[in-house]
């Protein structure tokens, strides 16, 4: 089953107690991201978020992205 990137990321944001604004503020401070909620929402909606951005987002939320052999 294909993971829905948008729902997975949004659920992690909520689970960790962040609002989109708070998350983007941290991403801006740590990685120089644009603070625009609409920009991130559009990337998630279009499923056009880059791998590097997902790694940075995961870092701010306290997650590591790990590749494991099946």
């Amino acid at each position: 089953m294909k993971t829905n990137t948008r729902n997975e990321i949004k659920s992690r944001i909520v689970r960790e107690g962040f609002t989109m604004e708070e998350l983007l503020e941290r991403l801006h401070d740590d990685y120089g991201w644009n603070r625009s909620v609409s920009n991130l929402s559009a990337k998630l909606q279009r499923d056009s978020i880059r791998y590097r951005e997902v790694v940075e987002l995961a870092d701010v939320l306290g997650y590591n992205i790990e590749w494991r052999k099946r």
Side-chain angles (χ1 to χ4, degrees), residues 44-58:
L44 295 174
Q45 186 69 34
R46 291 188 311 264
D47 203 18
S48 64
I49 191 165
R50 295 177 180 179
Y51 181 75
R52 175 187 52 81
E53 293 170 324
V54 172
V55 171
E56 292 170 354
L57 195 149

Side-chain angles (χ1 to χ4, degrees), residues 18-47:
F18 281 88
T19 65
M20 292 280 276
E21 291 84 1
E22 292 167 336
L23 177 65
L24 286 166
E25 185 64 34
R26 290 273 308 273
L27 286 164
H28 173 75
D29 292 347
D30 293 355
Y31 296 104
W33 280 40
N34 183 317
R35 290 184 177 115
S36 170
V37 171
S38 61
N39 186 37
L40 178 57
S41 292
K43 285 182 179 190
L44 295 174
Q45 186 69 34
R46 291 188 311 264
D47 203 18

Side-chain angles (χ1 to χ4, degrees), residues 9-20 23 61:
I9 290 173
K10 289 186 97 175
S11 71
R12 299 289 174 160
I13 293 168
V14 170
R15 187 176 300 141
E16 295 307 318
F18 281 88
T19 65
M20 292 280 276
L23 177 65
L61 292 174

